[in-house]
């Protein structure tokens, strides 16, 4: 019997789950607490979100770029639509205007990702999470 390959949407969801977890763990301290990139809220990585500077609705070209995504609280990410007014200065301070401009340029390009590439991303970010030294994730 032929093995069933995962649908693109399922593969994408699994890749995002691990990518998001990695971002939130990357941005957390030794107690797994992170600070929102756009406000002073602190929370456990499990209660925080992985918020995009360039919105994920803009497409895949910037969706999975680590320097485009940071820990954010629900209020900033969802209620304030990413809180761009505060996200921009954070990005400029952390990466500089040239990188911010490059992310904006990339957001206007198209990137097609196939199911197997999402599978590779899932494996990569699962490995990166484990590499941060967290045994029970």
């Amino acid at each position: 019997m032929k093995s069933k390959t995962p649908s693109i949407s399922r593969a994408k969801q699994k890749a995002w789950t691990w990518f998001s977890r990695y971002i939130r763990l990357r941005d957390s301290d030794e107690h797994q607490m992170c600070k929102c990139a756009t406000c002073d809220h602190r929370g456990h990585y499990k209660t925080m979100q992985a918020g995009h500077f360039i919105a994920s609705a803009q497409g895949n070209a910037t969706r999975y770029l680590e320097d485009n995504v940071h820990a954010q609280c629900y209020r900033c990410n969802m209620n304030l639509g990413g809180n761009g007014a505060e996200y921009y200065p954070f990005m400029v301070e952390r990466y500089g205007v040239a990188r911010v401009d490059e992310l904006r340029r990339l957001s206007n390009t198209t990137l097609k990702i196939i199911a197997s590439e999402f599978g590779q991303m899932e494996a990569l970010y699962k490995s990166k999470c484990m590499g941060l030294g967290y045994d029970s994730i």
Side-chain angles (χ1 to χ4, degrees):
M1 179 178 249
K2 190 176 175 183
S3 68
K4 187 177 178 184
T5 57
S7 70
I8 190 96
S9 61
R10 179 71 178 133
K12 184 177 183 177
Q13 187 272 326
K14 288 172 129 185
W16 174 254
T17 295
W18 282 102
F19 179 80
S20 170
R21 185 173 292 154
Y22 168 72
I23 293 298
R24 292 174 288 128
L25 284 168
R26 174 201 70 188
D27 293 351
S28 65
D29 63 18
E30 66 275 4
H31 305 292
Q32 298 180 345
M33 299 293 287
C34 18
K35 181 177 179 265
C36 178
T38 53
C39 78
D40 288 331
H41 179 79
R42 288 186 51 78
H44 191 270
Y45 88 93
K46 290 182 179 180
T47 67
M48 300 293 274
Q49 298 193 345
H52 292 82
F53 171 62
I54 304 290
S56 60
Q58 297 255 317
N60 287 330
T62 57
R63 182 183 310 245
Y64 296 95
L65 292 180
E66 293 177 22
D67 59 354
N68 184 50
V69 186
H70 301 85
Q72 274 192 306
C73 66
Y74 180 89
R75 177 181 168 272
C76 287
N77 194 35
M78 301 303 288
N79 296 348
L80 298 177
N83 199 1
E86 298 300 324
Y87 216 146
Y88 180 78
F90 168 84
M91 292 294 290
V92 168
E93 182 178 324
R94 178 161 290 185
Y95 302 107
V97 173
R99 181 58 181 162
V100 170
D101 289 344
E102 177 67 7
L103 289 170
R104 286 182 168 157
R105 188 195 65 73
L106 285 170
S107 73
N108 294 315
T109 63
T110 302
L111 176 66
K112 182 169 175 61
I113 302 173
I114 60 174
S116 62
E117 291 172 316
F118 282 121
Q120 292 169 355
M121 276 193 260
E122 176 189 358
L124 171 67
Y125 286 104
K126 189 182 238 183
S127 172
K128 282 188 163 201
C129 283
M130 300 308 162
L132 290 174
Y134 296 103
D135 297 327
S136 59
I137 299 174

